[in-house]
């Protein structure tokens, strides 16, 4: 049911809950170490959290007890990400999507340069 829901929302990979959670976790860990990708990669990787949020808010999935376990795991990863996030940089994003409104506080040279040039967002280079 979860995987079909993800596919129905347009997600074509990492549709199983474990895979999507792993994708979010790997992304956050790479940000903690200093994200080395470019802006396109960064924003693409954030879609894992978007997908998780859609699933966590979906009433049809809420009846499955496994969703509570998924929610707890997501919240643990979120707490790590919030620690390194500079909030409210992209004010056009929904307030409920805090992960899209903010940007990591530091990253590798490619992301730092692209964020500055394209979005005027200044973060520290590691």
């Amino acid at each position: 049911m979860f995987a079909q829901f993800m596919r129905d929302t347009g997600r074509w990979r990492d549709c199983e809950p474990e895979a999507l959670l792993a994708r979010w976790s790997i992304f956050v860990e790479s940000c903690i170490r200093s994200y080395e990708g470019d802006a396109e990669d960064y924003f693409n990787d954030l879609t894992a959290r978007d997908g998780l949020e859609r699933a966590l808010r979906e009433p049809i999935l809420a009846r499955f007890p496994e969703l509570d376990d998924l929610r707890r795991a997501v919240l643990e990863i979120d707490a790590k990400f919030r620690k390194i996030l500079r909030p409210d940089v992209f004010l056009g994003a929904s307030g409920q999507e805090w992960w899209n409104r903010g940007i990591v506080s530091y990253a590798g040279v490619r992301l730092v340069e692209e964020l500055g040039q394209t979005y005027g967002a200044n973060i520290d280079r590691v």
Side-chain angles (χ1 to χ4, degrees):
M1 169 85 52
F2 186 98
Q4 188 58 52
F5 172 78
M6 287 287 99
R7 286 186 197 96
D8 290 347
T9 65
R11 189 160 193 91
W12 55 275
R13 65 178 185 183
D14 300 320
C15 292
E16 296 294 333
E18 299 83 9
L20 192 54
L21 184 65
R23 186 165 188 75
W24 177 233
S25 180
I26 290 166
F27 169 70
V28 170
E29 291 301 322
S30 72
C31 288
I32 290 169
R33 287 189 309 273
S34 175
Y35 193 82
E36 295 299 325
D38 60 21
E40 183 178 353
D41 292 335
Y42 178 88
F43 293 118
N44 183 56
D45 288 342
L46 276 178
T47 65
R49 184 59 179 83
D50 296 336
L52 287 164
E53 188 67 16
R54 279 193 299 277
L56 293 173
R57 291 178 182 265
E58 176 54 44
I60 292 171
L61 297 177
R63 64 184 173 174
F64 294 97
E66 297 86 356
L67 200 65
D68 289 334
D69 295 335
L70 180 65
R71 184 181 317 280
R72 280 190 290 281
V74 169
L75 291 175
E76 285 180 27
I77 299 165
D78 286 356
K80 293 178 185 179
F81 194 56
R82 285 180 189 264
K83 287 181 183 179
I84 61 167
L85 198 67
R86 185 172 295 160
D88 299 326
V89 174
F90 300 109
L91 298 176
S94 166
Q96 293 179 345
E97 296 176 354
W98 57 267
W99 58 93
N100 285 322
R101 284 181 66 94
I103 193 71
V104 290
S105 299
Y106 55 87
V109 66
R110 289 192 306 170
L111 184 58
V112 169
E113 288 178 358
E114 286 186 22
L115 288 174
Q117 291 170 356
T118 305
Y119 302 100
N122 296 311
I123 62 173
D124 295 330
R125 188 174 93 184
V126 177

